[in-house]
Amino acid sequence: MSMFVPEMSAGDLTSGQTGRAGEALAMYNLEMFGVQAEIIRTRGCDLWCMAADGMLFTAEVKTCSVPFFNDLNSRTKTYKYNIGSTPQRASDVHVFVALDIMGALFVPTSELPQGGGKMYKARHLDRSLTEPSLQHCLSLLKDNKKAA
């Protein structure tokens, strides 16, 4: 199932459209797994979220509309995201979205590398990994809030 009209593909979107579509897909996944989400417009944070147990957290959504191929001899889809430097990261969770395959991967911000970029192969963004990655984030956030 595609969310694009037949004459349009993910690669045809402007950067603003790509970002908003990614936020919508991330929000859809959160809602499907029992997390309420609201889109907000603030630097370093795209979604305010509330888990079923009432825990509040924020999410930054990073969206890629189409993959690029790292190696000319390889046809492995790879998605590249700009995640900014560590001091600029204000959210609790990052959501990496691949629009062309409708994939979403949830990653605790604390587990991201120091640098400004992150790449994922298509297999990491498979829809079967969406819920486990979200559950990992929720579990880590709960543990961190208990320790605080």
Side-chain angles (χ1 to χ4, degrees):
M1 180 176 139
S2 174
M3 69 175 174
F4 302 105
V5 292
E7 59 274 353
M8 180 180 248
S9 71
D12 296 329
L13 300 175
T14 67
S15 62
Q17 290 170 319
T18 298
R20 286 189 299 278
E23 290 166 359
L25 184 60
M27 196 165 107
Y28 166 80
N29 280 289
L30 287 161
E31 295 280 350
M32 289 303 294
F33 297 117
V35 176
Q36 294 178 18
E38 295 291 330
I39 295 175
I40 59 171
R41 300 280 179 240
T42 185
R43 184 175 174 92
C45 191
D46 295 315
L47 303 173
W48 281 345
C49 310
M50 185 170 65
D53 65 0
M55 179 180 63
L56 298 172
F57 65 97
T58 57
E60 171 77 5
V61 180
K62 296 298 182 179
T63 307
C64 190
S65 58
V66 293
F68 79 99
F69 298 97
N70 234 358
D71 181 348
L72 294 177
N73 297 325
S74 171
R75 298 306 298 165
T76 303
K77 288 182 176 182
T78 303
Y79 298 86
K80 187 175 183 179
Y81 302 90
N82 180 4
I83 57 174
S85 61
T86 304
Q88 297 171 331
R89 298 180 190 158
S91 65
D92 300 306
V93 172
H94 273 63
V95 188
F96 296 96
V97 173
L99 287 180
D100 65 323
I101 60 173
M102 304 291 281
L105 179 70
F106 292 82
V107 178
T109 299
S110 62
E111 293 181 2
L112 292 175
Q114 297 289 325
K118 184 70 179 150
M119 293 191 304
Y120 288 104
K121 300 237 183 272
R123 70 177 180 272
H124 296 118
L125 295 156
D126 185 89
R127 286 186 274 179
S128 68
L129 300 176
T130 300
E131 184 178 16
S133 68
L134 175 58
Q135 293 305 326
H136 171 68
C137 287
L138 293 175
S139 176
L140 187 67
L141 289 171
K142 281 181 193 173
D143 291 346
N144 288 346
K145 290 188 188 284
K146 285 180 189 175

